[in-house]
Amino acid sequence: MTELIPAPRSATAGSGEVRLTHHSRLCADTATQGVAHWLGAALRQATGLPLREGRELDDAEGGIGLRLDPGLGPEEYRLVSDGSGVLVEGGGAAGVFWGAQTLRQLLGPDAYRRAPLDRDRAWSVPHLTIEDAPRFRWRGLMLDVARHFMPKEGVLRYLDLMAAHKLNVFHFHLTDDQGWRIEIERHPRLTEIGSWRARTKTGHRASPLWEDKPHGGYYTRDDIREIVAYAAERHITVVPEIDVPGHSQAAIAAYPELGNTDVIDTTSLSVWDTWGINPNVLAPTDNTLRFYEGVFEEVLELFPSEFVHVGGDECPKDQWRRSETAQARIRELGLADEDELQSWFIKHFDAWLSARGRRLIGWDEILEGGLAEGAAVSSWRGYAGGVAAARAGHDVVMCPEQQVYLDHRQDPGPEEPVPIGWVRTLEDVYRFEPVPPELTPEEARHVLGTQANLWTEVMEDHARVDYQAFPRLAAFAEVAWSALPASAERDFAGFQRRMAAHYGRLDALGVAYRPPTGPLPWQRRPGVLGRPIDGPPPHR
């Protein structure tokens, strides 16, 4: 009947349909004006219908109404299509917005186009009642723009794609060894030097291939403001990530004093041009802390999100072991080892962010040496970090690489472009269960939700990002939103049937997804070395 993705909690069919015509109106109250602005703009460009503003639904006009119902949850909605028109009610503006996304799906794939294909065609919504609400409050997508830069227009496009799938947290990975992507006024060399690299490894780090031209780019402060505002209009929260103390060579290349100068000549470092875990990490000095406090002050000005991500992953300790400065800091603080030194580093920014009304979140390595009080964890190395954090009373976002790293290959076939990691098919993602079964109900309440991650080492442009993300992101969105049965009991055949309709929506949106039959000729990358891992991934 509806072929909706994500699947709603309940959908009851009626008899008949609501016809949208040149006389139909779009009615909203003050609290839903923002949703009406978005929906009106989307539907006017796709249908060519004027959809003039109105105050109340008129039975004769077949219009659309948007309003709040305080009896519903903030993201919960009810959509009723009957003889009075189409009414979308939500407990908050976000709920109304998600209902509007469902309405768009009900209108058919051409409702996603930017201009009408036929101005005389009929537009209709079947009579039905849908009641729906999300399973998780955190339904996230992480996009790495440090390894390969995505220009602002591409980021805005991905926010639209997220909204179309009812995802509501955009984790913005802005800094890494290979590039610094956000303008910081008090430290201009971060973008003057740190935002570009002289060349780029093509394929996995073991590949002999290089692209011998500069690569880079960054977002100005106004670009960031625009991205955050655009996301907010779509009820998406942008969570910035500034990586410390590892994954920091781009920053050290710009400001060599940030590195371990008593161990290596940091002035010889440039922005890294290959992939992997980098040994060049930040020095645990007061100067480094003050520098990054300045960075985070500007980040907080630009991002109003509750959470700020500080990375904390893959920080090799070799330089700290050889650094007299680092060892003196360990002795001064009475720490046991370098793991506790990293914990001290993270705890410093946890306290700093907390004092400003924000919350720190980091990758599960921040558990090493003691978890910072009040910090939340992005559990990427399987489920174990999330289980440990939840049992200790800390909030968790589940994003295990074995399940929802969308840079991993989708098929074992030889034509899969730049094959990375384990095979994670559409069905594998659909059967992903974010809540570890060993958690008690009380512990499970610390699972804020789940997130799919797109690391872009081997994704050189938006078409490659599309290929890795879709159609699996649609399956992930249903996992994050819908109250699905246990993994083995999920109706994947039913999901595939609904995907047959959803591919038409993705086509209309211009998404370069992986076809079910395999990559198209232009999507392949013959001769570019990847790093496939054979066999099923470890579950934990």
Side-chain angles (χ1 to χ4, degrees):
M1 175 187 66
T2 57
E3 310 298 349
L4 298 175
I5 290 177
R9 182 174 63 197
S10 70
T12 305
S15 59
E17 63 182 20
V18 173
R19 295 283 297 271
L20 298 182
T21 71
H22 282 77
H23 301 290
S24 298
R25 292 184 177 272
L26 178 57
C27 307
D29 56 23
T30 302
T32 59
Q33 278 295 329
V35 181
H37 174 76
W38 174 85
L39 181 63
L43 295 187
R44 288 183 193 108
Q45 70 176 5
T47 67
L49 299 175
L51 291 176
R52 296 180 181 87
E53 294 182 6
R55 290 191 174 274
E56 293 184 5
L57 287 177
D58 186 323
D59 295 4
E61 293 178 344
I64 300 168
L66 308 174
R67 71 184 184 199
L68 298 187
D69 179 347
L72 300 175
E75 291 192 283
E76 187 176 8
Y77 71 89
R78 181 191 306 112
L79 186 155
V80 178
S81 170
D82 59 19
S84 301
V86 181
L87 176 62
V88 180
E89 297 175 295
V96 177
F97 181 75
W98 303 130
Q101 292 290 351
T102 297
L103 171 60
R104 196 181 186 195
Q105 289 198 19
L106 292 170
L107 286 166
D110 288 343
Y112 290 83
R113 296 192 180 276
R114 296 188 182 182
L117 302 184
D118 179 359
R119 290 187 177 272
D120 296 323
R121 71 164 285 177
W123 294 90
S124 63
V125 179
H127 285 178
L128 80 175
T129 298
I130 294 173
E131 295 182 331
D132 202 7
R135 179 184 179 191
F136 294 111
R137 59 173 276 205
W138 186 301
R139 306 180 302 279
L141 175 68
M142 189 227 66
L143 180 63
D144 164 22
V145 296
R147 273 51 177 268
H148 277 99
F149 179 66
M150 180 177 283
K152 180 192 69 178
E153 287 302 317
V155 174
L156 300 180
R157 173 176 175 267
Y158 256 81
L159 291 169
D160 280 328
L161 291 174
M162 288 179 64
H165 292 83
K166 299 184 173 73
L167 299 173
N168 69 340
V169 177
F170 180 56
H171 176 167
F172 207 6
H173 184 81
L174 288 163
T175 73
D176 217 296
D177 299 302
Q178 295 87 0
W180 185 283
R181 305 296 180 212
I182 177 172
E183 178 186 22
I184 302 296
E185 285 186 333
R186 72 190 72 187
H187 302 308
R189 296 207 302 273
L190 287 171
T191 45
E192 291 171 1
I193 295 172
S195 69
W196 68 276
R197 55 183 182 263
R199 63 175 188 169
T200 299
K201 173 68 71 174
T202 301
H204 183 257
R205 61 181 176 272
S207 167
L209 304 177
W210 295 88
E211 183 179 47
D212 285 307
K213 67 178 184 181
H215 176 89
Y218 68 92
Y219 310 102
T220 67
R221 290 168 58 87
D222 282 345
D223 290 338
I224 294 292
R225 291 186 181 99
E226 180 181 356
I227 288 167
V228 170
Y230 194 86
E233 289 176 350
R234 287 147 184 80
H235 297 274
I236 294 171
T237 299
V238 183
V239 174
E241 181 179 356
I242 305 295
D243 228 324
V244 297
H247 287 286
S248 298
Q249 183 162 318
I252 297 169
Y255 292 91
E257 64 271 22
L258 296 174
N260 294 284
T261 57
D262 58 345
V263 175
I264 62 163
D265 177 12
T266 55
T267 62
S268 67
L269 295 178
S270 58
V271 178
W272 213 25
D273 55 14
T274 189
W275 322 122
I277 299 176
N278 191 305
N280 298 305
V281 303
L282 297 174
T285 63
D286 290 342
N287 176 67
T288 300
L289 297 180
R290 299 294 89 74
F291 183 96
Y292 273 88
E293 287 171 359
V295 169
F296 281 116
E297 282 180 7
E298 295 194 27
V299 167
L300 297 192
E301 291 173 15
L302 297 170
F303 296 92
S305 56
E306 174 187 4
F307 288 97
V308 175
H309 208 291
V310 300
D313 64 316
E314 296 179 332
C315 177
K317 311 298 194 298
D318 290 347
Q319 290 185 357
W320 287 355
R321 292 187 186 98
R322 293 186 287 132
S323 165
E324 179 51 37
T325 299
Q327 292 303 310
R329 178 68 89 181
I330 289 173
R331 292 191 296 270
E332 171 197 340
L333 296 170
L335 304 176
D337 54 23
E338 290 76 20
D339 282 345
E340 287 197 4
L341 183 61
Q342 179 172 345
S343 180
W344 164 82
F345 199 103
I346 297 298
K347 285 178 179 178
H348 174 87
F349 287 103
D350 177 58
W352 191 91
L353 289 167
S354 295
R356 288 154 181 81
R358 306 298 185 93
R359 292 183 65 189
L360 177 146
I361 185 169
W363 303 109
D364 56 54
E365 282 94 334
I366 68 172
L367 291 163
E368 298 169 4
L371 185 61
E373 184 178 355
V377 169
S378 299
S379 185
W380 76 274
R381 294 181 299 178
Y383 289 84
V387 170
R391 285 178 172 167
H394 294 270
D395 289 337
V396 179
V397 176
M398 297 303 301
C399 50
E401 66 167 331
Q402 302 92 328
Q403 312 296 330
V404 288
Y405 268 35
L406 300 185
D407 47 307
H408 285 199
R409 56 190 174 137
Q410 304 182 61
D411 187 89
E415 294 181 337
E416 205 63 25
V418 200
I420 299 295
W422 293 285
V423 174
R424 294 287 84 191
T425 66
L426 182 65
E427 182 172 1
D428 290 329
V429 174
Y430 189 68
R431 296 195 185 280
F432 164 59
E433 172 49 49
V435 179
E438 57 264 46
L439 293 181
T440 67
E442 180 64 29
E443 292 165 346
R445 279 193 275 273
H446 287 290
V447 179
L448 300 177
T450 184
Q451 178 174 289
N453 293 342
L454 280 165
W455 300 104
T456 62
E457 288 93 336
V458 299
M459 301 181 214
E460 71 276 9
D461 55 32
H462 88 268
R464 280 287 290 126
V465 175
D466 280 5
Y467 181 92
Q468 293 301 134
F470 289 98
R472 293 182 296 181
L473 193 63
F476 173 81
E478 183 150 309
V479 169
W481 176 277
S482 305
L484 297 176
S487 178
E489 299 168 8
R490 293 176 187 172
D491 181 10
F492 181 66
F495 176 76
Q496 286 182 301
R497 185 194 70 247
R498 288 181 285 120
M499 274 303 302
H502 199 64
Y503 285 121
R505 299 172 191 132
L506 298 179
D507 287 332
L509 286 164
V511 177
Y513 58 85
R514 182 189 189 276
T517 54
L520 299 170
W522 63 269
Q523 292 174 320
R524 299 168 191 157
R525 297 290 186 273
V528 180
L529 184 66
R531 182 178 172 265
I533 304 175
D534 294 329
H539 184 61
R540 290 285 181 264

